[in-house]
Amino acid sequence: GYMTGDIKGAWLSDTDTTDVVGTELVTNGTFDTDISGWTALRAAVLTLDTAALRVTNAGTTASMASQAVTVEIGKAYTYSFNLVSGTRPVYVRVGTTPAGGFYSLKGTTTGTLREYTFVATTTTAYISLQLNAGVSGDYAVFDNVSVKLAIPDRSVNANGLAVHGTITKTAVATGADLVAYSGFSTSNYLEQPYNSDLDLTTDMSISYWIKDGAVSQSLMGLGSATRYVDQSWYIYHDGGLDYRLSLHSNGVTEQQFEIADAVGSTNWQYVTWTLSGGIVKGYLDGVENSSAAFTGTLTTQAVTKNTLKVGKTPVATAGHSGSLALLRISATAPTAAQIKEIYEAE
């Protein structure tokens, strides 16, 4: 699909109709009672630290804890972890050997669940929690280490959505290559840990293709698991057949915007929400449907570090029962002419 301006994510775009199942591939990534399943490398000392894993340098080399997980060649996966505390910068590594492959230096900032997306090139991927080389006694404490099958991000950012439960994938139409995603519920959904790229406060846009669904259902949102608490935005279907976008100031005060009488269509619909110059507009099938002022400032998740969820939000009583495809979030609001062009092309 089209990617507009300062694109932050482009998901739900695939040609493989195989359903995706979000099975946890890491053994003992929560360290509830012990550190079994992890191997110490390069003179690392591994110990249990209050239901977390402490990796300590026993020398001056870049010590690490590593584990092999079984993956499928060509599939995308999310690798996430939480850095609890530490005295040295840490690396994330994913590769065909414990010390090889992709890595990213992430500094010593703690308290945030971090996620990376990788595509498997062999049937075994080694994930490693590594300290930067330093002095003996340096350490870092890790928790909530996870590897799950992912819905890939087709934008330059490559921040995938982790799969929870089982998501169904079917062709959007007979003979089509593009697939749709469905089967959402409170336990079957997609999620991305906190991503500062999504801390948008001024211009933004959210667009997607949607089919079916019913009233009082959740669609997607960025925020906590509780309505009126630490929310940025969410989208849901109200009881009057309207698509609704809710934007929040201070994480609590909400303003709602709607596209009227659109819920439940058995035809595919293209929905675009834009925020620009303090005005929110809703477009349905390339045509402006609503326009209203947003008088607040969109809440970011920089402090609370809440997640993006697709397929459910904390608002409605049920996850989305219809199908979605080509979800995109951008820090740019496309023009009416561009939205019309995208609709007609797609």
Side-chain angles (χ1 to χ4, degrees):
Y2 278 61
M3 299 189 201
T4 302
D6 189 7
I7 187 71
K8 299 302 183 183
W11 307 276
L12 311 189
S13 174
D14 204 353
T15 58
D16 183 354
T17 57
T18 305
D19 295 349
V20 287
V21 181
T23 303
E24 179 58 67
L25 301 180
V26 171
T27 300
N28 191 25
T30 57
F31 313 105
D32 292 334
T33 59
D34 57 45
I35 58 171
S36 60
W38 293 87
T39 300
L41 299 173
R42 293 181 175 175
V45 176
L46 308 185
T47 55
L48 187 66
D49 187 339
T50 317
L53 173 66
R54 177 185 285 249
V55 181
T56 304
N57 271 337
T60 59
T61 58
S63 300
M64 67 176 68
S66 185
Q67 182 178 138
V69 297
T70 301
V71 290
E72 185 178 344
I73 295 173
K75 296 290 187 180
Y77 295 85
T78 57
Y79 171 22
S80 59
F81 72 100
N82 182 273
L83 178 60
V84 179
S85 61
T87 60
R88 294 295 296 170
V90 300
Y91 285 91
V92 166
R93 284 190 181 273
V94 181
T96 56
T97 63
F102 167 83
Y103 66 86
S104 178
L105 183 63
K106 296 306 299 180
T108 56
T109 302
T110 60
T112 301
L113 188 66
R114 308 168 194 275
E115 179 188 89
Y116 305 90
T117 303
F118 69 95
V119 176
T121 58
T122 62
T123 57
T124 300
Y126 290 87
I127 59 172
S128 300
L129 308 171
Q130 177 186 325
L131 300 182
N132 195 11
V135 299
S136 180
D138 283 336
Y139 73 92
V141 179
F142 302 90
D143 199 4
N144 300 315
V145 184
S146 173
V147 173
K148 287 186 175 182
L149 195 64
I151 303 299
D153 176 8
R154 305 297 186 180
S155 79
V156 68
N157 304 286
N159 289 318
L161 299 171
V163 178
H164 294 260
T166 300
I167 304 298
T168 303
K169 296 166 68 180
T170 54
V172 297
T174 301
D177 290 327
L178 181 69
V179 301
Y181 295 72
S182 61
F184 299 106
S185 69
T186 55
S187 57
N188 300 311
Y189 61 96
L190 307 172
E191 184 175 30
Q192 183 181 104
Y194 170 71
N195 175 4
S196 60
D197 284 348
L198 300 182
D199 277 339
L200 308 176
T201 58
T202 53
D203 287 14
M204 65 175 292
S205 61
I206 305 167
S207 64
Y208 50 91
W209 284 84
I210 185 169
K211 181 181 179 182
D212 298 320
V215 299
S216 302
Q217 290 186 341
S218 302
L219 199 63
M220 66 188 78
L222 179 61
S224 75
T226 305
R227 190 176 185 181
Y228 302 120
V229 177
D230 296 329
Q231 299 296 323
S232 289
W233 58 267
Y234 54 77
I235 299 171
Y236 73 106
H237 303 167
D238 73 2
L241 297 175
D242 303 324
Y243 293 147
R244 285 205 171 183
L245 168 67
S246 180
L247 301 184
H248 287 247
S249 295
N250 305 317
V252 176
T253 305
E254 71 175 22
Q255 285 182 254
Q256 295 198 344
F257 309 88
E258 68 179 36
I259 294 174
D261 303 324
V263 173
S265 173
T266 57
N267 297 317
W268 280 102
Q269 297 175 312
Y270 178 56
V271 176
T272 304
W273 302 97
T274 66
L275 169 63
S276 182
I279 302 298
V280 174
K281 294 184 177 183
Y283 294 81
L284 183 64
D285 289 343
V287 177
E288 183 179 321
N289 181 280
S290 62
S291 178
F294 175 49
T295 58
T297 299
L298 193 62
T299 305
T300 72
Q301 299 297 319
V303 175
T304 53
K305 313 298 184 186
N306 288 309
T307 65
L308 170 69
K309 291 183 176 65
V310 176
K312 75 169 190 176
T313 72
V315 182
T317 57
H320 177 51
S321 65
S323 299
L324 292 172
L326 300 181
L327 168 63
R328 286 147 289 181
I329 299 176
S330 176
T332 300
T335 66
Q338 289 171 326
I339 292 170
K340 183 69 173 177
E341 177 186 355
I342 293 170
Y343 167 70
E344 291 177 347
E346 294 181 354

